[in-house]
Amino acid sequence: MSQVLRDLEYESIYIIREAIAESQNPVLLYSIGKDSSVLLHLLMKAFYPVKPPVPLLHIDTTWKFKEMIEFRDRTARELGISLLTYTNAEGIRLGIDPFSTSSNHYTAVMKTEALKQALDKHGFDMIIGGARRDEEKSRAKERIFSVRDADHGWNPRSQRPEFWNLYNCRLMKGQTIRVFPLSNWTELDVWLYIYEEDIPVVPLYFAAERPVVKRDGMLIMVDDNRFKLGLNEKTEMKHIRFRTLGCYPLTAAIESGARTVPEIIEEVFSADHSERSGRLIDYDEQNSMEEKKVRGYF
Amino acid sequence: MNSSDTNISNYLQTPTLRLLTCGNVDDGKSTFLGRLLLDSGNVYEDHLGALERISRRYNPTNSGPELAYLVDGLRAEIEQGITIDVSYRYFFTRNRKYIIADAPGHAQYTKNMAVAASKSDVAVLLIDAASGIKIQTIRHLSILSLMRINRLVIAVNKMDLVDFSKERFDGIKDDIGRAIGTIYGRMCPFWSVPVSSRNGDNVVRKSASMPWYDGGSVLEILESMELDNQESSSFCLPVQYVARDADRRYYSGTVASGEVSVDDEVVVLPSLLRTRVSGLSVAGKHSEEAKKGDPAMIELADEVDVSRGDRLVKSEQELMQGDTLSCQVFWFGEKAMVPKDVYELKFLTYKARATVRQVNERLDLDSLVRSPASRLAQNEIGFASIMLSTDHYCLPFQESKALGSFLVVDIGTGDTVGLGTIVSIGKAGRPHPYATVVDKSMRAALKKQGPMLIWFTGLSGAGKSTIANLLEQRLYEQGYHTYLLDGDILRDGLNRDLGFDSDSRKENIRRAGEVAKLMVDAGLLVIACFISPFAEDRTMVRSLFRKGEFCEVYVSTPIDECIRKDPKGLYAKALRGEIPDFTGVSSPYEPPVSPEVTIDASKCSVSEAVQLLLHHLAED
């Protein structure tokens, strides 16, 4: 393996082992995207030949792409790892959905609140996730082992200093730690690693003809019949793919001809827009991600 | 892959460069970084759009986007116009991946500067061309030297404000060279570059405004920078996690130094149980060996008790053992560090309760003066001794960053309140090695030699002194700093109170060992000649030294030959019964089991013996 990827892989394995060794009740937050695929692959390697002693948790908003859910269930089955899913039932009862609710409120209820409920329900103390520092400015400031208060909130002004590979995992009552083994990976690294290790990812990352609607300059895929067309809106077939995957009504596609991993790598190597430019929830307001993280978003 | 193959393979094969940027708060660090990202093609269009919106909102009078906002992330930072926390930036060129740790320049955030330095290979230090070196610059240099950052790029920024003056640049270059020399205590290689971040001169592109500068831009220097690593090579694996399946145990951990192969004998610390590596995998693949940095999973031949925090080594002598750490401490806690306070220390995978025994000194970062102190307040750096509840095995920070550092954790709040780097480790009760700024490795570096003790043992008249004398002569001629420690001279002075009974002989050897240890600590090549007939005494002397610092030379000339030559007539007297307890006659000589070198002086000339020794020393 090339030096850049090997260094990243080794660093991540150390972090994963450290998190699980220090934890009473660890969980891996599995979001089904390419970063989660890499994280899962690293988890398997970290404990090979033994099965990793940690379950997966997926926060299901019920608005994920259908292909994501199929991929999730198949992956857990094939790896033989236990998969927990959680949906905020109260949000469903209140009819919170991404079309009729503001993206801010929807995310707060169906993602942030749901995650907090799931973590409290199972009492997880160490939550491993696939966030990367190069995704967004406030993530760029987060530690690899990031302490959350009893309400799962992040306090960016009092983070524990980290040096070399020394990680303080001591928890006070109510505290939990979010762990980010992929902190130092970039989008390019993730794709290069997927290529080199032949890691399966959701097919939505690869370009294909798909039905989309153009809304506020973004291409939104019509994934099921819950999609409500507005006046003058029409569904058209376009050759698209996704750079990130989330809830389908809130995740914009890009027009692309990249059908294979090497073609995606080529596209990323010469991209002129950031990866999260297709994430509508990042654009609610300046510092939007920071606000969400302070309140407990991943 | 396709057309971009070669570009990507360059990117993939060059080691990632981790750099930190630092400098006085007004020296334009964020603007420099923004320029670096922009001109190297690492700013996306949507980020530039957002940048222009923020620039208009927070600074409506300024024309054009404020490049600094590209890197200042948190809301409080933008509002206050300062950087609060370390921010990590990732960018790549056709040649290399970079990770930038952007360290805040504001005085109260010294902690974050140390955080940023800890994982960096190189530091880019910004200096304002108009105002020159400030006290903050000196403080940052001091922290860089304490964190062992040994590659520096000095970016003399805002050259546009001094009319791109060569004289101004040269003046600052001289000043910073002197400061580096003083702070690092020796010459640390550095590059200095005249830069204007605002205009982009010499950040990525070479400047047209400074034709007198013939060096590379900052990025050009970074692109070709090579990384090397001079650290301890003794194998050590801190056990991180013990995994089990139905019938086996697997010990996982990242190799902290050295390397190990299948079938190697290993020692478990602290239990000292011995076993053998029977199986090995690295990152999910079976492997014959694992080297520094590899996340290994090890199977052992015997069912020994090994748990997280234990260490696997090849020889326990390769690490230092003790319960009292003499260390340098960066203190971050709001509550001061004072003697008798109890904390939890976290080494790589090992945690231990520890009591502050003594705070010795405080380091003034502005003047580099060390003054006596009894406590360390927040953001102070000092020297202390800390006592652990049980023995620990580690290395000095100068030899291994990984095995020579630890976190200090407040048990009540869980906060990380300090960072320790180990100067030395000792045993409570024994005179404690005092934490000195200039240490053994620095003294030895000045002499350009690896200090060690060459201990000659053998019968009286075996030829020890003759060989040792010629050896010293040869070493001296080659420019080495040596000292020949002679038993008779010791007995004339330091040991004049000792007789020849067995207790006195033991003490004679012990003192000789301790004196030799001080001399090795002073950076010397020490040659000692003592009959030292008892294995126990020689083992005791050996235990005072690190592996590789002690070379036992057994002069094995047979006793018949010694009696025949008898240069001092001692054997004749002893055989007549005039000398009691004479080694070889009326007292036993216990030959060494595995000496580093064995010489039978009856079978070779003195100069051949010395050649053999020089050859052996050169190999080490």
Side-chain angles (χ1 to χ4, degrees), chain A residues 18 141 184 189 266 269 274, chain B residues 4 11 77 90 94 97:
Chain A
E18 191 65 9
K141 304 228 165 192
N184 287 319
D189 297 326
E266 174 74 358
F269 207 55
S274 73
Chain B
S4 64
Y11 168 90
E77 296 179 332
Y90 300 80
R94 292 287 168 196
K97 177 181 174 182

Side-chain angles (χ1 to χ4, degrees), chain B residues 10 80 83 98 161 203 233 239 252 274 369 382 392 546 575:
Chain B
N10 247 350
Q80 294 168 30
T83 314
Y98 294 87
L161 300 184
V203 178
S233 58
V239 176
S252 74
R274 277 154 214 277
V369 168
H392 182 58
R546 310 278 313 285
L575 289 168

Side-chain angles (χ1 to χ4, degrees), chain A residues 173-184:
Chain A
K173 195 171 165 48
Q175 285 181 339
T176 56
I177 295 183
R178 305 268 173 105
V179 187
F180 305 106
L182 303 185
S183 286
N184 287 319

